[in-house]
Amino acid sequence: MFGKDIYWYGVQVISLLETGKLHSPDHSPVFYIVAFLFQILGISDESLIVFQVLTSVWLIFCLFVARNILFGSLLKQNLSLYSDTISTSVLDANSNLDANSYLATTTIDDTKSNPRWYFPFQTFAIPCVIVFVLSFLYPKQSWALGFLLLSISFYFTKPFRWKWICVGISFGFAIWFHTMVGCLGLGLWMVYQLPKKFYPVLFLLVFFIPLFLPTNLGGRFSIDTQVFPISAALGIAGMGILWDWFFLVFGKNVPKSLLPIRKTIAFLGLLLALPLFHFADIQYRILLSVLLLKEIFSKTNFKQSLITGISILLWSYTLYNHSNLFRYPYEQMWDPGEKAALIPENGLLVAHHGFCEFYHFQFRKDCLSWEPDEKAIAELPNRTKIYRLVYGIRYETLQRSIDDSKSPIFTFIKPLGEYQLVLESDWIRYRLWLENKNSKLLSVAKSWKNPYRKRPNFLKRKQTYGI
C-alpha cells in the first residue's frame, strides 16, 4: 500500500457504514465515494487501492478536460486571426477558395502554424508525476484539485453563455471536497489581480511577517521558520520535486496570452521556498497543488516532454530506492498490531501516525497518534490502561534503563518486532529520564516515531480519544 493517510479513509468509512456518521466529522463527500466502493468490493486493502487508482483517473481526466477547454478557446481565437490572414494572402490568388476550405485542406506539411492541428495537439500531454503523487498520498485533496482545474480553465476561456456559472459550480465543488484547495484557488486569484510591480513587496512581507507571529495559530496552522523548505522537500520527496519546483518558478513554456497567470503561479512557487508553515504538514501539500495547476497552461512540445520525462526518471529513482518516503512499512505492523489488540487491559494504544490508522482499520480498536491529554484519559474505559508502541529504540535498551534508585523504569515491556509495547506511564518516566541525562535517544523519543505533542484543540472538538 502506498500513501501515509490511506487507512484513515478506511477508518472514516467503516464508521460511516456501521454508525451512519464519520469517525471524525468532515464535510467532504469523498468518503461517500470510498463507502460506495466498500459496499461493492468489500472492506479491504484492495478496495482502498481501487480508490487510489480511481482518484488518479479522475485527476488525469480533469487535467485533460481543463486543457481541452483552455486550448480549445485559444483555437477559436487563432482560427479567427488565421482566417483573416488567409483571406488577404491566399484568397487573392485563388478567389474560388474560401478561408474555411483552405484551413480544412491544409496539412501539417503545408504549414506548422496551422491551428487546426497545432492547438488540438496541445490538449494532450504526458501526465506529470505529481498527478500520481497527489492521488496516492492525498486523495481528498486530489478530488478537490480536479474541480479547481476545471474552474481555472473556465475562468481563462473567452466569454460564453454559461461561463460564470461553470466557474462558480466547479469552484464550489472544490471547496466542498477540500476547503484548503478552495482557499488556494482564491489566493491564486487574489495574487493574480495584484499588479506585478507589487510582487517584491509581497515577497518581503511573506519573508518577514512569520518572524513576528506566534508559533501556533489556533492549532491547525503552525509557523515554522527553522526549516528551509527546499532542503525539507529534498528529504521528503527526493530530487524529483526540486526539478519540478525549478521549472515551476523559472519555466515559461506557455502561450503568450497565458503568460500573466503563469507568472503568478511561478511567483507562488517562489513564495513557497520561504519558511512559513510547518512544511511536511501544510506547505508540502500546497506546493504539490501549485505544481499540478501549472500543468494546464504548459504547451505540449519537445521541451516540455523532455522536462516531464526527466521528472519521471527522478521520481521513479526515489520511489525505487526510498519507497519509505511514500508509504509506511505496513507489512511490519500486522504482528505488533494484532498482539497489542489482544491485550485485555489495552484501553488506548499510543503509536505513530500511520500505525494508528492501520491498527484501527485492521483490528477495529482505537489508537492515538498524540500524547494522551486530559480528554483522552477521561474517556478511557474502566479498568483499562494506556499502552504505547515504541518505535526506533531497541528492546535491550529499554530493558537496561534504570532510574536514580537503581530500579527498572519499565514495569512491562513486550517486544513486537520493530516495536516495543510498554505502559504509557512508564514511557513518560523514561522520557523525563532521557531529558535529565540529555541523552542522544531523546531525538528519537521526541519525534514522529514516538508521538510527544499534545493533540490540537481543533481535533479535540472533532474526535473522541481515538485517532
Side-chain angles (χ1 to χ4, degrees):
M1 288 285 289
F2 282 92
K4 296 190 173 183
D5 285 326
I6 187 60
Y7 282 108
W8 170 243
Y9 293 84
V11 170
Q12 286 279 67
V13 173
I14 288 174
S15 177
L16 179 64
L17 295 175
E18 293 180 351
T19 68
K21 60 181 181 180
L22 296 172
H23 183 274
S24 179
D26 196 312
H27 62 75
S28 176
V30 73
F31 299 105
Y32 293 89
I33 299 174
V34 185
F36 176 73
L37 293 175
F38 275 12
Q39 289 177 320
I40 296 177
L41 304 174
I43 300 174
S44 64
D45 291 5
E46 290 73 19
S47 298
L48 291 175
I49 294 174
V50 170
F51 169 63
Q52 290 176 312
V53 173
L54 180 63
T55 303
S56 300
V57 172
W58 162 254
L59 210 49
I60 292 172
F61 169 78
C62 289
L63 181 60
F64 171 78
V65 172
R67 288 179 62 86
N68 188 65
I69 293 170
L70 200 59
F71 284 92
S73 176
L74 290 177
L75 168 63
K76 293 179 181 179
Q77 296 176 33
N78 281 270
L79 278 176
S80 176
L81 293 173
Y82 197 75
S83 299
D84 294 340
T85 303
I86 297 304
S87 297
T88 57
S89 60
V90 176
L91 300 189
D92 291 341
N94 195 351
S95 58
N96 62 344
L97 181 65
D98 62 82
N100 288 330
S101 299
Y102 180 86
L103 288 170
T105 57
T106 302
T107 64
I108 296 175
D109 294 329
D110 294 327
T111 172
K112 289 188 176 182
S113 62
N114 186 348
R116 278 202 181 276
W117 74 270
Y118 181 74
F119 281 95
F121 176 71
Q122 296 302 312
T123 62
F124 296 94
I126 302 173
C128 61
V129 180
I130 301 300
V131 168
F132 303 100
V133 174
L134 281 164
S135 298
F136 279 80
L137 294 186
Y138 308 113
K140 186 174 79 168
Q141 181 176 334
S142 299
W143 283 85
L145 281 168
F147 287 109
L148 184 60
L149 289 174
L150 297 177
S151 179
I152 291 173
S153 65
F154 283 125
Y155 182 86
F156 285 100
T157 57
K158 62 183 298 185
F160 62 95
R161 186 175 182 181
W162 305 104
K163 173 176 177 174
W164 296 110
I165 294 178
C166 293
V167 171
I169 291 176
S170 51
F171 184 69
F173 271 95
I175 295 176
W176 186 22
F177 271 79
H178 202 305
T179 305
M180 187 201 78
V181 172
C183 293
L184 172 63
L186 184 61
L188 174 63
W189 178 80
M190 293 174 65
V191 177
Y192 178 66
Q193 300 302 315
L194 190 70
K196 302 296 186 291
K197 63 181 179 181
F198 292 114
Y199 280 7
V201 177
L202 180 58
F203 181 86
L204 292 175
L205 288 175
V206 173
F207 181 82
F208 285 108
I209 287 180
L211 301 176
F212 303 98
L213 290 176
T215 303
N216 194 311
L217 298 177
R220 183 63 185 95
F221 295 96
S222 58
I223 300 296
D224 186 357
T225 57
Q226 305 302 315
V227 177
F228 191 52
I230 292 179
S231 60
L234 179 63
I236 291 175
M239 280 298 299
I241 195 167
L242 297 188
W243 174 267
D244 292 341
W245 201 345
F246 176 84
F247 287 99
L248 167 65
V249 176
F250 299 104
K252 295 182 180 179
N253 187 33
V254 297
K256 290 183 179 180
S257 60
L258 298 176
L259 198 56
I261 180 61
R262 182 61 182 83
K263 288 181 178 179
T264 299
I265 292 176
F267 178 67
L268 288 182
L270 185 62
L271 290 181
L272 290 171
L274 299 176
L276 186 56
F277 300 114
H278 188 279
F279 188 83
D281 289 343
I282 302 294
Q283 206 159 327
Y284 179 56
R285 298 184 182 213
I286 298 174
L287 174 60
L288 290 176
S289 301
V290 176
L291 286 171
L292 178 67
L293 295 182
K294 76 174 177 62
E295 291 299 316
I296 61 175
F297 302 105
S298 300
K299 292 192 292 187
T300 299
N301 50 27
F302 176 77
K303 177 182 178 181
Q304 187 61 36
S305 299
L306 182 62
I307 292 171
T308 304
I310 294 176
S311 173
I312 292 173
L313 290 175
L314 292 173
W315 280 96
S316 299
Y317 174 83
T318 303
L319 178 63
Y320 181 78
N321 291 281
H322 307 284
S323 61
N324 60 297
L325 296 177
F326 308 100
R327 65 184 299 272
Y328 288 115
Y330 294 115
E331 61 278 358
Q332 299 176 9
M333 296 180 183
W334 181 270
D335 185 62
E338 184 179 38
K339 291 178 178 177
L342 292 174
I343 295 178
E345 293 182 334
N346 179 10
L348 174 62
L349 183 68
V350 180
H352 66 75
H353 173 74
F355 189 101
C356 271
E357 291 81 352
F358 175 86
Y359 178 77
H360 191 139
F361 179 79
Q362 302 291 357
F363 306 107
R364 307 294 195 273
K365 300 201 70 171
D366 279 314
C367 183
L368 189 65
S369 55
W370 306 89
E371 184 174 286
D373 47 39
E374 297 79 6
K375 187 175 187 291
I377 296 172
E379 295 173 351
L380 194 67
N382 292 330
R383 298 180 181 179
T384 60
K385 300 176 181 178
I386 302 176
Y387 286 81
R388 175 183 283 260
L389 276 175
V390 179
Y391 186 50
I393 302 179
R394 297 176 60 189
Y395 168 77
E396 294 79 10
T397 302
L398 298 179
Q399 192 178 43
R400 290 195 302 264
S401 303
I402 56 175
D403 58 20
D404 295 337
S405 61
K406 305 300 180 182
S407 300
I409 293 178
F410 291 96
T411 58
F412 172 87
I413 309 178
K414 187 172 183 178
L416 300 174
E418 297 293 323
Y419 297 85
Q420 325 303 330
L421 185 66
V422 301
L423 289 168
E424 177 66 15
S425 55
D426 291 344
W427 173 257
I428 293 174
R429 291 172 53 210
Y430 176 71
R431 200 173 63 200
L432 289 173
W433 180 71
L434 291 178
E435 290 176 354
N436 292 333
K437 290 181 58 179
N438 196 24
S439 171
K440 293 181 179 179
L441 285 175
L442 189 60
S443 61
V444 179
K446 297 181 72 173
S447 69
W448 69 268
K449 296 180 179 180
N450 299 287
Y452 65 97
R453 293 188 296 174
K454 294 289 185 181
R455 183 168 41 168
N457 290 329
F458 82 96
L459 284 180
K460 291 181 184 179
R461 293 193 298 269
K462 295 173 64 176
Q463 300 176 351
T464 58
Y465 68 83
I467 296 175

